[in-house]
Amino acid sequence: MQPWGSVNDQQAMDEVFGIGNWTLYNDYASADPAAIFTADNKFVYLQGSAGTDVDLAGYITGNETAILDWVSSGGSLLLESAGWNNDITFGPATLDWTEENGPSFSS
């Protein structure tokens, strides 16, 4: 995903992992959890921008067991969300969004 059309995240991934050594999925529909959350993958970055938070929340909800099992087995997960008008729950934690207060985190 490319938040706000920026390639900054992709450039950072290239710097850390090397060009061609990581996979970008442009939508969550094509992101197969059986291929992603494996012992071969040590790090996964899930990003939800203002336009993809609903998709991110759905992906997390639909694959929560696989993701939590992978993390429990030593996988490292970076979960980033704009949180705009969409609550996201993952394991014991929830990112809440309200118009009045903006984002808040609870566990």
Side-chain angles (χ1 to χ4, degrees), residues 12-38:
M13 296 291 277
D14 285 344
E15 289 177 24
V16 172
F17 298 105
I19 295 171
N21 292 326
W22 60 277
T23 303
L24 171 68
Y25 294 91
N26 286 312
D27 60 62
Y28 284 104
S30 66
D32 178 6
I36 296 170
F37 300 101
T38 69

Side-chain angles (χ1 to χ4, degrees), residues 85-102:
N85 301 311
N86 191 48
D87 297 342
I88 295 178
T89 299
F90 179 65
T94 300
L95 172 66
D96 297 307
W97 174 267
T98 62
E99 287 293 328
E100 301 81 35
N101 300 318

Side-chain angles (χ1 to χ4, degrees), residues 58-101:
Y59 187 82
I60 290 170
T61 299
N63 300 293
E64 184 171 18
T65 299
I67 297 169
L68 287 171
D69 288 349
W70 176 78
V71 170
S72 294
S73 296
S76 297
L77 176 68
L78 174 57
L79 181 59
E80 180 182 43
S81 170
W84 289 15
N85 301 311
N86 191 48
D87 297 342
I88 295 178
T89 299
F90 179 65
T94 300
L95 172 66
D96 297 307
W97 174 267
T98 62
E99 287 293 328
E100 301 81 35
N101 300 318

